[in-house]
Amino acid sequence: MQHSRGTGYRHALWLLTTRDLKVRYSTSALGYLWSILDPLLMSAIYWFVFTVVFQRPFGTTPYIVFLLCALLPWMWFNGAVSDSTRAFLKDAKLVRSTKIPRTIWVTRLVLSKGIEFLLALPVLALFAIVFGAHVGIELLFFPLAIVLQAVLTVGIGLIVAPLVVFFRDLERAVKLILRFLFYASPIVYGVSNLPEELHFWAAFNPLSGIFGLYRAGFFPEELDWFNVIVSAVMSLAFLATGLAVFRASERSVLKEI
């Protein structure tokens, strides 16, 4: 019985995820290319500003690879958390009528954005080859970064999604927080570029350890196991908190929507 429920959940999750991707790409002439063009354009802007205009030694060369290693996963995180603010409001009728666990309305957003992230990875590989980036054994930590980010993003999504139903202003607040978090996270710079007294505190942004894992395959000096351990603990804590918040508010959410 438990096995059949799990199979049904996975099947429904996959159906909803593929539906999201088909809708997103079928209504756009460029389709999949948009998921590549957005981070590429942002990377080009930051590369120009920091290497050409200011000529500041942020990150490590090749800087474009350094940027993409964090910018691509940031697009996944940002997109999934932003979309989670309307996870229940957008499909209110389906949420009320379905019998499958309603956490699926958050997990399918994280999965669909995660698939877009994976589809954009060939661009990172291409730039790494073109610019001659060093590739080390630390590249094996890349899947660990994906797992930790998925856990963290689902946890945050499960907190945000039900709370927005009761506090609609939270949707705008989340967008502001994400904008701040972009600059507070080691994306255009590395943790090593921060003043030494901030290194310890930077670890408590869970994205610091995760982005360090992504970059480790090309820039092994970016791997800090203290940051990774803190990120893992915080990711699991966010997931546990998200599940608790979701379970406590599920009935009230169904009444409200």
Side-chain angles (χ1 to χ4, degrees), residues 106-257:
V106 171
T107 52
R108 55 112 184 190
L109 294 173
V110 176
L111 181 57
S112 64
K113 291 294 181 183
I115 290 172
E116 286 185 351
F117 163 69
L118 293 176
L119 291 174
L121 288 181
V123 176
L124 173 61
L126 178 63
F127 274 87
I129 293 169
V130 170
F131 287 91
H134 163 83
V135 179
I137 191 68
E138 293 85 359
L139 196 62
L140 293 174
F141 294 131
F142 210 91
L144 175 59
I146 293 173
V147 171
L148 286 180
Q149 182 169 341
V151 170
L152 174 66
T153 312
V154 169
I156 293 174
L158 289 174
I159 296 170
V160 168
L163 292 182
V164 170
V165 173
F166 307 113
F167 310 103
R168 301 299 170 91
D169 286 345
L170 187 58
E171 183 177 352
R172 292 186 178 182
V174 167
K175 294 188 186 323
L176 287 175
I177 292 169
L178 286 171
R179 194 174 303 170
F180 167 78
L181 191 59
F182 176 85
Y183 294 102
S185 301
I187 299 172
V188 298
Y189 57 87
V191 173
S192 58
N193 297 124
L194 294 171
E196 196 168 338
E197 60 269 19
L198 293 180
H199 286 192
F200 174 79
W201 300 108
F204 292 91
N205 174 351
L207 293 175
S208 294
I210 292 171
F211 290 167
L213 282 171
Y214 282 123
R215 283 175 167 150
F218 304 105
F219 311 100
E221 67 278 5
E222 291 297 315
L223 181 60
D224 185 322
W225 283 109
F226 174 73
N227 290 357
V228 172
I229 292 169
V230 172
S231 292
V233 171
M234 291 186 69
S235 297
L236 290 170
F238 269 110
L239 181 61
T241 304
L243 288 169
V245 169
F246 185 84
R247 286 168 183 161
S249 60
E250 185 174 2
R251 288 187 179 181
S252 299
V253 165
L254 293 176
K255 291 177 183 177
E256 189 71 22
I257 60 174

Side-chain angles (χ1 to χ4, degrees), residues 25 28-40 123:
Y25 291 141
S28 169
L30 292 178
Y32 160 69
L33 288 177
W34 281 118
S35 63
I36 299 174
L37 288 175
D38 195 4
L40 272 182
V123 176

Side-chain angles (χ1 to χ4, degrees), residues 35 39 67-77 117 120-121 123-124:
S35 63
L67 264 176
L68 284 170
C69 281
L71 197 54
L72 290 175
W74 167 260
M75 301 293 283
W76 171 18
F77 177 81
F117 163 69
L121 288 181
V123 176
L124 173 61

Side-chain angles (χ1 to χ4, degrees), residues 72-100:
L72 290 175
W74 167 260
M75 301 293 283
W76 171 18
F77 177 81
N78 181 71
V81 174
S82 294
D83 287 356
S84 292
T85 59
R86 299 198 60 80
F88 297 132
L89 299 173
K90 187 179 177 183
D91 295 304
K93 289 183 180 178
L94 277 174
V95 174
R96 287 195 302 265
S97 60
T98 53
K99 297 296 183 183
I100 52 177

